Amino acid sequence: MKIDFSEAATEKDLQVIRDIAADIWPKTFAEILSAGQITYMMQMMYAPEVMRNEVNNGGHFIIVSVDDTPAGYISWSPYQPDGTAKLHKLYLLQKFHHLGIGSAMLAEVEKRAADAGFTRLILNVNKYNETAKKAYFRNGFTIAESVQIDIGNNFIMDDFVMAKDIDTHK
């Protein structure tokens, strides 16, 4: 199994990410969020102009391919001037779960953040997404705080902020 990580550089690349998200999101969040909130959040995070704006402002989207087949994606960016980067999105198609690819994805974003000089990585995870929480715990993240974020349209993100110090000397 060959895993490749490629920075999304074109509109076509960003469309690949949107297509994967359209497959993953309804399945991942169907039991956690309402259909209305899933639709709202998909538009809020994956509209072409939103993704383009994130890239133009220093964000990174990475397509994850397994044996040359797009399998998932990562999004991360600088977060605070104190050396913290934020992992915004890490999603993998279900048929690629339980193969160690998620851990490889986390290792890749940690490496890229460390190479860029960051010493800490944070992320938000839905409090009820047990699968994701277990994966993050298994990969050395701890819960830093509990937050409820009003994202508009009467929707709330009920999350844990998780954090991990990253080694810049790997």
Side-chain angles (χ1 to χ4, degrees):
M1 177 173 60
K2 182 181 85 168
I3 304 170
D4 290 311
F5 301 95
S6 60
E7 190 87 19
T10 66
E11 290 303 315
K12 183 180 175 186
D13 293 339
L14 295 178
Q15 185 61 52
V16 167
I17 291 171
R18 282 191 288 280
D19 291 345
I20 295 170
D23 184 339
I24 292 172
W25 262 73
K27 295 171 187 169
T28 300
F29 295 106
E31 294 182 16
I32 299 172
L33 304 174
S34 70
Q37 185 166 349
I38 292 169
T39 299
Y40 177 77
M41 290 180 72
M42 287 290 296
Q43 182 63 27
M44 181 183 90
M45 294 189 297
Y46 295 102
E49 62 275 10
V50 171
M51 294 177 75
R52 201 173 314 106
N53 188 48
E54 286 181 31
V55 170
N56 290 341
N57 287 300
H60 301 272
F61 284 94
I62 301 163
I63 297 172
V64 181
S65 297
V66 176
D67 296 328
D68 299 319
T69 300
Y73 59 94
I74 302 165
S75 168
W76 74 278
S77 70
Y79 184 66
Q80 294 177 340
D82 69 353
T84 300
K86 184 163 187 180
L87 174 59
H88 298 284
K89 301 168 185 73
L90 187 144
Y91 292 99
L92 183 65
L93 290 167
Q94 199 163 18
K95 69 181 181 179
F96 295 103
H97 286 196
H98 308 294
L99 300 172
I101 299 166
S103 292
M105 292 166 72
L106 282 169
E108 181 68 17
V109 76
E110 287 176 33
K111 178 188 178 308
R112 288 178 185 230
D115 288 350
F118 295 98
T119 57
R120 186 169 188 247
L121 186 61
I122 66 167
L123 60 90
N124 284 36
V125 62
N126 184 291
K127 289 177 184 172
Y128 305 101
N129 189 339
E130 296 300 327
T131 302
K133 287 188 320 191
K134 286 178 189 173
Y136 294 131
F137 283 131
R138 191 171 51 250
N139 284 278
F141 284 83
T142 59
I143 294 174
E145 66 179 308
S146 174
V147 296
Q148 289 189 331
I149 303 164
D150 183 340
I151 58 170
N153 211 34
N154 294 315
F155 294 122
I156 300 291
M157 288 190 341
D158 192 11
D159 290 352
F160 286 124
V161 176
M162 299 185 79
K164 179 181 183 180
D165 291 334
I166 52 178
D167 185 0
T168 59
H169 303 295
K170 284 187 176 180

